[in-house]
Each structure stands twice: as structure tokens, then as C-alpha cells.
Amino acid sequence: MTPKRIIVTGGSGQVGQHVIAYLLEKGHDILNLDLVPLPDHLAQHVHTLRVDLTDSGHVHSALTSRFHPACPFGREPLNQIPDAVIHLASYPRNMIVPDGETYRVNTQAGYNVIEAACRLGIKKIIIASTVCVYGPAYAEGEIDFPSFPVDEEVDASPMDTYAISKVCVERTARGFARRFASKGVDVYVFRIAAVIRPGEYARFLDGWKENAADFKAVGWSYTDARDFGQMCHLAVLRDGLGYQIFNATNDEIVVDGISTTEFLGKVASGVPFTREMGEKEAPLTNRKIKELLGFKEEHSWRKYYSYT
Ligand SMILES: NC(=O)c1ccc[n+]([C@@H]2O[C@H](COP(=O)([O-])OP(=O)(O)OC[C@H]3O[C@@H](n4cnc5c(N)ncnc54)[C@H](O)[C@@H]3O)[C@@H](O)[C@H]2O)c1
């Protein structure tokens, strides 16, 4: 594998740090665009350019930046176009700031990165979206998923601001992918579930165990932060798929001792099934990312947690 030059936005965040660690392990060269620095263990290897991604001029300039500060600069050529941009930066949920600000920052940053990447000739654009776009997570009152399994064909029509902002960025990405298809641009959208980082399994699953109904917000599914790094790596390497949306989730439902179909029949009775589901298959299914990108889970929750 030839190592790639990859720009990660929001790499200093909870998800981004694991994405960067995984990509470094695979030998890629990384530049991080963020408002805040990386922790020391990553900052030793990856430079962070402080950029407010809502400023389109800064984004244009940053996407053609050198990756490494040096004196003198000459060793790294000027104006190299990176192989890929992985756009993670956003407000990652509602109520961190007022809704209008969540919408403004998420949509403006998404637009700026997608537009600049396409215009500059970056051929691979990977966008972090969320399974919240399927609706129940931040609904006003309790609603059901339209059908199971929740795959990428299920209608994404959320009512909360965070998820609406993500749908807007997905549609922006789709439009630019169409416009720049003849230039060989691929845009892959990852709908990420609740991200669990190393050491967090007990906290998450202890909480969820108490009340299975509460799992609905996360679709009884999750995304291991390290496995998400693998997904990004695979997406960087796989060319030619055009515009694609992938559920970026792990393989299995996060309950034990009961099949997925039986469990969903109990907690979401009346919701139709569009196909037979695997015995333990995650309701927010990852079948597509396994088939198209070759994702192979390394961090099953079962390695880190037991319900007994
Ligand atoms: N954590 C989860 O469970 C989860 C679930 C689904 C989707 N996601 C998505 O994954 C991505 C990463 O989430 P996270 O949990 O790491 O979030 P985070 O808040 O930990 O990290 C986001 C990073 O983006 C940076 N950022 C925000 N606004 C910026 C701006 N205007 N300019 C430059 N940098 C900016 C922040 O400084 C931060 O470092 C987000 O797009 C989020 O919507 C996360």
C-alpha cells in the first residue's frame, strides 16, 4: 500500500484522535485542521493547523497547506494536493450551543470543506454523519424507526437540528459528487453510531443494560472508535464508488441472550422487517460497509463487556 497524504478535520476530538492513531499506524501522512491542539502523543507525529472551518478562505488555504512546519520549508513541495480529506469537525450533538449555531457551524463547515476539496481536485472526500439522521435519537417524543434493518435506504427525515444539519451536509456532498463526478471525485458519507472508545464499554453498556428501551436512541448499535479508524483507512484506499452512504457501525446488537429479531419484536413491536436479519445483527446494519469496503470488525463489544 502506498501511504497517502490525508487531511483530517476535527482530528483533536474524541473520534478524530482514534482515526488519526489508526491512520498513523498504517503509515499515512496526516495534517489535522482543528480549533484546538492534539494531545502530546499524537502531536509528536501530526501537526495541527488552527483553522475555523466556517471561514471558506481559511479552508481553501488550509487544504493546500504543507503538512509539516520546518525551517526552511523547502523540503516539502508547495501546493501539493492531498489524496483525501476526512471531515469530522462539527458540533457532535444538540445543546452544546443554541440550535441555530449548531446548524450554522455544521452546515457551513461541511459546505466549505466539500466545495474547496472538489475545486482543488482532492479525489476522496469522507464525511462524518450520524445515525441520528434516522430520527428517533433526538425526536420530540418517542418515535420508531421506519423498518428493520435500518440500512442506508431507510428514509432519513429527522426533526432535530443536529441531525438536520447532518442531512444538509450529506445532500451537499451528494450534489458536489454529481457535479465533480467527471473529475473522478468520490464522496463517502459515514453514518456513525454512538462511538465507544477504549475503556468506555462498561460505562456505556452498564447504563444501557438497565433499560433496553433507552437503547432505542442509539438503535441498539454502536461504533468502536478504533474500528471507525479502520473504516476511514479502507475508504481512503477504495476508489471509484462515486457517492456512497455507509452505516459506520459494528457488527452486533448490544444485547445478549436473545436474537435481534426476537428482541426488536419485543421493544419495537409493529415495526416491519424488510428482510431476515442475522441472529445477532446490529439493527443499524453495517452490511453495506462490509460488502463494499471490506470492513472487518476487530473490536466487538463482547471482548470488553459481559452481561453476566
Ligand atoms: N461521538 C459520537 O458518538 C458520534 C456519533 C455519531 C457521529 N459523530 C460525528 O463524528 C464527528 C466527530 O465527533 P466527536 O465526538 O469526535 O466530536 P468532538 O466534539 O469530540 O470533536 C469535534 C472536533 O471538531 C472541532 N471543531 C468544531 N468546530 C470546528 C470549527 N468550526 N473549525 C475547526 N474545528 C472545529 C472541535 O474543536 C473538536 O476537536 C462529528 O462530525 C460528529 O457529528 C460522533
Side-chain angles (χ1 to χ4, degrees):
M1 180 207 73
T2 315
K4 306 282 189 188
R5 295 178 75 250
I6 304 168
I7 291 189
V8 176
T9 77
S12 307
Q14 299 194 2
V15 176
Q17 290 182 30
H18 290 278
V19 169
I20 287 179
Y22 193 94
L23 296 175
L24 280 177
E25 203 183 291
K26 294 292 170 189
H28 299 298
D29 197 12
I30 314 289
L31 175 69
N32 178 37
L33 311 185
D34 204 307
L35 295 168
V36 298
L38 281 165
D40 288 347
H41 70 284
L42 293 172
Q44 288 169 13
H45 308 286
V46 173
H47 183 64
T48 298
L49 203 58
R50 199 170 65 230
V51 181
D52 182 349
L53 297 163
T54 62
D55 183 312
S56 62
H58 289 190
V59 173
H60 260 269
S61 173
L63 289 187
T64 51
S65 170
R66 288 186 162 111
F67 276 34
H68 304 282
C71 301
F73 264 134
R75 284 188 290 272
E76 202 182 350
L78 254 182
N79 292 335
Q80 262 188 298
I81 300 299
D83 298 302
V85 56
I86 301 176
H87 177 52
L88 306 174
S90 82
Y91 286 116
R93 58 192 166 276
N94 292 294
M95 294 192 69
I96 297 171
V97 291
D99 283 356
E101 184 65 357
T102 302
Y103 184 83
R104 182 187 73 83
V105 169
N106 290 3
T107 55
Q108 188 69 67
Y111 182 90
N112 290 346
V113 170
I114 294 163
E115 184 197 37
C118 285
R119 286 184 187 273
L120 289 168
I122 299 174
K123 295 285 198 301
K124 179 68 54 62
I125 303 169
I126 296 160
I127 303 287
S129 185
T130 170
V131 298
C132 295
V133 299
Y134 294 119
Y138 292 110
E140 209 63 43
E142 192 162 321
I143 61 166
D144 280 318
F145 290 100
S147 54
F148 291 117
V150 181
D151 63 21
E152 298 80 356
E153 302 303 314
V154 166
D155 184 34
S157 183
M159 58 179 108
D160 68 283
T161 298
Y162 165 63
I164 289 170
S165 76
K166 291 294 195 179
V167 171
C168 286
V169 176
E170 289 188 0
R171 295 305 292 240
T172 303
R174 184 171 155 187
F176 273 88
R178 266 189 91 186
R179 199 200 295 182
F180 285 84
S182 64
K183 308 281 184 210
V185 172
D186 291 320
V187 185
Y188 304 158
V189 168
F190 282 153
R191 289 181 177 163
I192 308 167
V195 172
I196 306 184
R197 295 174 295 166
E200 288 188 331
Y201 276 89
R203 181 167 69 80
F204 271 81
L205 274 73
D206 274 350
W208 293 350
K209 175 168 77 171
E210 298 306 317
N211 186 357
D214 283 353
F215 293 28
K216 190 203 275 185
V218 296
W220 304 279
S221 307
Y222 70 105
T223 304
D224 180 276
R226 296 155 292 185
D227 278 338
F228 183 65
Q230 182 200 147
M231 295 175 199
C232 290
H233 168 68
L234 292 170
V236 166
L237 297 189
R238 181 73 167 88
D239 296 332
L241 298 178
Y243 177 74
Q244 296 290 341
I245 296 177
F246 296 100
N247 282 348
T249 53
N250 278 66
D251 292 0
E252 290 191 358
I253 191 165
V254 285
V255 294
D256 205 13
I258 184 169
S259 76
T260 296
T261 308
E262 200 186 336
F263 175 77
L264 293 175
K266 284 185 177 174
V267 298
S269 67
V271 176
F273 286 85
T274 52
R275 67 162 164 82
E276 200 174 311
M277 294 193 66
E279 171 77 9
K280 300 286 180 196
E281 186 174 356
L284 307 179
T285 182
N286 67 359
R287 187 185 267 191
K288 181 176 174 182
I289 198 167
K290 290 168 81 170
E291 285 179 1
L292 286 194
L293 296 188
F295 168 65
K296 289 193 180 66
E297 171 181 276
E298 286 176 31
H299 299 282
S300 161
W301 65 264
R302 289 173 194 283
K303 282 186 178 175
Y304 309 107
Y305 190 79
S306 167
Y307 273 94
T308 54

